[in-house]
Amino acid sequence: MATVDVDQKFLGQYAKRTGSDNPFLSSMLYKVLGLSVLLTKKLVRARKLRRLDTTRDTKSLQLYHHIIWLSRECLVLVEQYILPMVASHEELKVLAYKIRASLYHNYVLYHNQPSINRTAIPSYTATSNKEKDPERSSLRSSPLFNDGLDGGPVRRPSGLPPGLTPISIPKPSASFLLPATDYIPTASSCFTMAAALSDQLLPGSHPLRLSVKLEYAAFLYDCLHDGEASRSLARQSIRDVYEAQEGMDDDMFDDAAFLVGYLGKMMKRGLSASGTSGSTPRNGSVATPSTPRARDMPHSDNGIPPAIPNSGIQNPI
């Protein structure tokens, strides 16, 4: 969510700037800006929910349905009206492709099939008795229980009353808004295209380029579960900022510094306190030499420890 403020700022600037030259494009940009503001509030609220309560349809499911609906309407505007008209605007072109990737990112988070996490909208398919209680399921499947020899109820093999055929129910509850499919390949290709355009058209310290890389890193970590690729992308983005030679004004500098701070957090995401990805050193591994303590160091006659060069310095002079 750190990239939303930067994206909305540039979106409002270009909506105002293109008002005289291309009023239709300006109106579409304003519509996307309004939908983005509404969508941001829903996304912030959805991220604060630790667990989806499936028993409260009005409070829980409608929030996720609203996110999918807003993302779908915004994606229609971007793909059908904005992308064909931004070929002559470098910054706006990168921003449009980045917004499209962000919307597919929302699909993957809250409407992907199969689901990538527990925050997605659940299915209405009931869990079988075997998954709920294996011992009870094995007891019910015994010949004594099925034949009714011990006075228990007799179960039909199909589990349905005679004359009732199974009814196919759509798995995700939001299928009436959007088809339930795997959106990860589409989102990955959109992020790849947006990142390639940002590298080609924008300098390394541009806030829009950093915005693309930051959300791409979050997508790699949260959706593809590739922590190493996410940290590598964040590290390379920060390196590109320091290697950039282009100048910028104070406003863009503040935005770039803000995004670099979040990229620094993404670079350390998933690592332990020692800087490794949670792995412990194996037995027999070579330990690094520690700093000698004061009581272990040799002392001179007056009690002051003599100057000893650091072992890591090759040429102490």
Side-chain angles (χ1 to χ4, degrees):
M1 302 304 296
T3 64
V4 175
D5 296 336
V6 176
D7 296 342
Q8 291 178 356
K9 181 189 297 184
F10 279 93
L11 195 60
Q13 291 177 358
Y14 273 98
K16 183 179 180 180
R17 191 179 306 173
T18 57
S20 57
D21 300 336
N22 196 338
F24 181 74
L25 176 60
S26 177
S27 63
M28 292 296 106
L29 293 177
Y30 275 121
K31 289 182 180 180
V32 172
L33 178 60
L35 291 175
S36 176
V37 172
L38 296 176
L39 184 59
T40 301
K41 298 179 181 179
K42 302 296 180 180
L43 290 174
V44 170
R45 183 182 174 188
R47 289 178 182 272
K48 291 181 179 179
L49 294 179
R50 294 183 178 270
R51 184 175 60 88
L52 178 63
D53 189 1
T54 59
T55 62
R56 302 173 60 191
D57 294 344
T58 303
K59 297 295 184 181
S60 298
L61 291 181
Q62 284 189 0
L63 173 62
Y64 297 90
H65 292 171
H66 205 177
I67 290 175
I68 295 174
W69 179 77
L70 289 173
S71 301
R72 186 194 67 180
E73 296 301 313
C74 191
L75 186 61
V76 170
L77 296 177
V78 172
E79 291 184 334
Q80 296 185 5
Y81 300 105
I82 296 180
L83 288 180
M85 295 186 293
V86 296
S88 59
H89 305 278
E90 294 183 353
E91 291 183 350
L92 184 57
K93 184 177 182 180
V94 174
L95 178 60
Y97 278 93
K98 193 266 178 180
I99 292 176
R100 184 181 70 165
S102 300
L103 296 173
Y104 278 109
H105 189 188
N106 295 337
Y107 287 175
V108 175
L109 287 176
Y110 301 106
H111 193 62
N112 199 70
Q113 188 68 23
S115 175
I116 63 168
N117 51 23
R118 64 180 182 179
T119 59
I121 297 179
S123 61
Y124 283 142
T125 56
T127 307
S128 61
N129 291 331
K130 185 176 181 180
E131 296 177 356
K132 291 182 179 180
D133 194 348
E135 296 181 358
R136 186 178 180 183
S137 177
S138 61
L139 179 62
R140 289 179 178 274
S141 60
S142 61
L144 294 177
F145 185 85
N146 293 332
D147 295 340
L149 298 179
D150 57 348
V154 179
R155 295 268 178 136
R156 295 179 58 85
S158 61
L160 296 174
L164 181 61
T165 58
I167 301 176
S168 59
I169 301 177
K171 292 184 178 181
S173 62
S175 297
F176 67 98
L177 291 172
L178 196 69
T181 184
D182 189 6
Y183 291 97
I184 292 180
T186 305
S188 300
S189 62
C190 290
F191 273 112
T192 303
M193 183 176 296
L197 286 175
S198 65
D199 294 340
Q200 179 183 358
L201 302 176
L202 301 178
S205 59
H206 198 283
L208 286 180
R209 178 171 173 173
L210 297 176
S211 175
V212 173
K213 299 302 180 65
L214 178 57
E215 186 163 356
Y216 193 10
F219 173 77
L220 291 174
Y221 190 91
D222 296 332
C223 300
L224 301 185
H225 308 292
D226 192 351
E228 185 62 30
S230 175
R231 292 186 291 268
S232 177
L233 179 61
R235 188 182 304 109
Q236 182 62 40
S237 301
I238 296 177
R239 188 179 296 113
D240 293 340
V241 172
Y242 288 104
E243 294 178 355
Q245 300 296 329
E246 294 80 8
M248 62 176 63
D249 55 12
D250 294 339
D251 193 13
M252 295 182 64
F253 179 81
D254 294 338
D255 294 337
F258 174 74
L259 294 175
V260 165
Y262 276 93
L263 284 170
K265 296 179 180 179
M266 291 297 301
M267 191 174 62
K268 301 177 182 179
R269 192 177 183 187
L271 296 177
S272 60
S274 59
T276 59
S277 57
S279 60
T280 57
R282 300 179 181 178
N283 295 331
S285 60
V286 179
T288 57
S290 58
T291 305
R293 299 180 182 179
R295 57 182 176 86
D296 299 332
M297 297 176 62
H299 291 74
S300 61
D301 297 336
N302 54 3
I304 302 176
I308 299 177
N310 189 357
S311 58
I313 302 177
Q314 299 179 356
N315 187 9
I317 300 177

